[in-house]
Amino acid sequence: MEKVKIQPQSGLGDLVNALPLIEYLDGAEVATNYAEALAPFQNVEVVPVEFNGIKPILRDGFRHLKYRKYSEGGFRDEYFPFEGFEIYANIVRERYRAFYRREEVGHDFVVFAPPRAAARHKNKGSFECAPDVDLAYEYVRSLDMPVFLVGNNDLYPDHIPKAGRDVFDLRDETTFPELCWLIMSAERVVSQVSAITTLAGLFGTPTKFLKAASETIEEHEKHVAGVVWPGQGVI
């Protein structure tokens, strides 16, 4: 049987949010430039995505996944509505935990992705949606735990406070498997809504979602409710 051809939105987080759907489909042909994120699957074919400037090009014959992020949550796809999303989210979680499992470690550290420009704002150097930098770092310092800074090719504001006493800066240093292991093993993850919080959802790691400066508290709560995974835990 020919595999279903799907093309998530172009970000890593969008691909991770499609994993329960891929699990449900029992394999698929996926258009993405993050093939490493599909390594735990044995029956998935990957083809690359090309861009017209910054706009991804939809491949012929592929169904573009668009998620109802902020209404019902759960990232059910409009093309493939299916029952039991939570069941498949838990199945894929166990698949990825088993694949990335290393030696057991304590969970007394925090993975922190500092406030940064949203991907859509990088090209203009805008931080209009980034969370409050001082509040974010104040929260992380209050945890009194070792801090691992993570991120890749991000744009940060000039003003960056100290994160705490024991800080390990791994930004632009980790491979995808290393990032997965860190997030899976952490006591909690702290980040604005992003691929980092989505990976935290995949592994069921409790998450502090940093509020964007442009959001009201009510908007932030609705935003989080639309992107949180079953069993993730919101701090």
Side-chain angles (χ1 to χ4, degrees), residues 75-93:
F75 287 88
R76 295 170 181 82
D77 169 62
E78 64 184 13
Y79 293 109
F80 298 100
F82 63 98
E83 298 297 326
F85 174 86
E86 186 169 346
I87 293 173
Y88 287 97
N90 286 326
I91 291 173
V92 79
R93 175 176 293 151

Side-chain angles (χ1 to χ4, degrees), residues 109-113 146-148 150 179 182-183 186 188-191 196:
F109 66 89
V110 58
V111 169
F112 177 37
V147 177
F148 289 88
V150 298
L179 178 63
L182 280 169
I183 290 175
R188 69 183 64 181
V189 166
V190 180
S191 173
I196 298 294

Side-chain angles (χ1 to χ4, degrees), residues 166-185:
D166 298 317
V167 180
F168 305 91
D169 192 346
L170 300 181
R171 289 173 294 179
D172 299 313
E173 297 291 338
T174 56
T175 64
F176 182 76
E178 289 168 342
L179 178 63
C180 286
W181 183 81
L182 280 169
I183 290 175
M184 179 177 65
S185 304

Side-chain angles (χ1 to χ4, degrees), residues 75-229:
F75 287 88
R76 295 170 181 82
D77 169 62
E78 64 184 13
Y79 293 109
F80 298 100
F82 63 98
E83 298 297 326
F85 174 86
E86 186 169 346
I87 293 173
Y88 287 97
N90 286 326
I91 291 173
V92 79
R93 175 176 293 151
E94 292 309 310
R95 175 190 291 278
Y96 275 68
R97 281 177 175 172
F99 187 86
Y100 288 109
R101 179 67 63 195
R102 297 186 183 179
E103 69 276 8
E104 293 291 334
V105 297
H107 296 266
D108 56 343
F109 66 89
V110 58
V111 169
F112 177 37
R116 56 215 181 270
R120 64 187 180 278
H121 294 152
K122 277 185 186 180
N123 62 333
K124 59 180 181 178
S126 169
F127 297 95
E128 59 201 69
C129 292
D132 184 284
V133 176
D134 290 305
L135 288 178
Y137 278 82
E138 181 181 346
Y139 173 77
V140 170
R141 286 195 299 270
S142 74
L143 301 176
D144 196 26
M145 287 186 291
V147 177
F148 289 88
L149 301 178
V150 298
N152 183 51
N153 191 33
D154 285 317
L155 182 64
Y156 301 99
D158 294 333
H159 169 58
I160 299 180
K162 292 187 179 295
R165 189 176 50 195
D166 298 317
V167 180
F168 305 91
D169 192 346
L170 300 181
R171 289 173 294 179
D172 299 313
E173 297 291 338
T174 56
T175 64
F176 182 76
E178 289 168 342
L179 178 63
C180 286
W181 183 81
L182 280 169
I183 290 175
M184 179 177 65
S185 304
E187 194 272 341
R188 69 183 64 181
V189 166
V190 180
S191 173
Q192 63 206 60
V193 173
S194 63
I196 298 294
T197 56
T198 305
L199 285 169
L202 170 62
F203 290 110
T205 304
T207 305
K208 171 70 172 178
F209 291 86
L210 299 174
K211 184 180 78 67
S214 58
E215 292 179 317
T216 65
I217 293 176
E218 292 76 15
E219 288 170 339
H220 177 64
E221 290 176 348
K222 185 177 181 181
H223 193 178
V224 171
V227 298
V228 68
W229 277 53

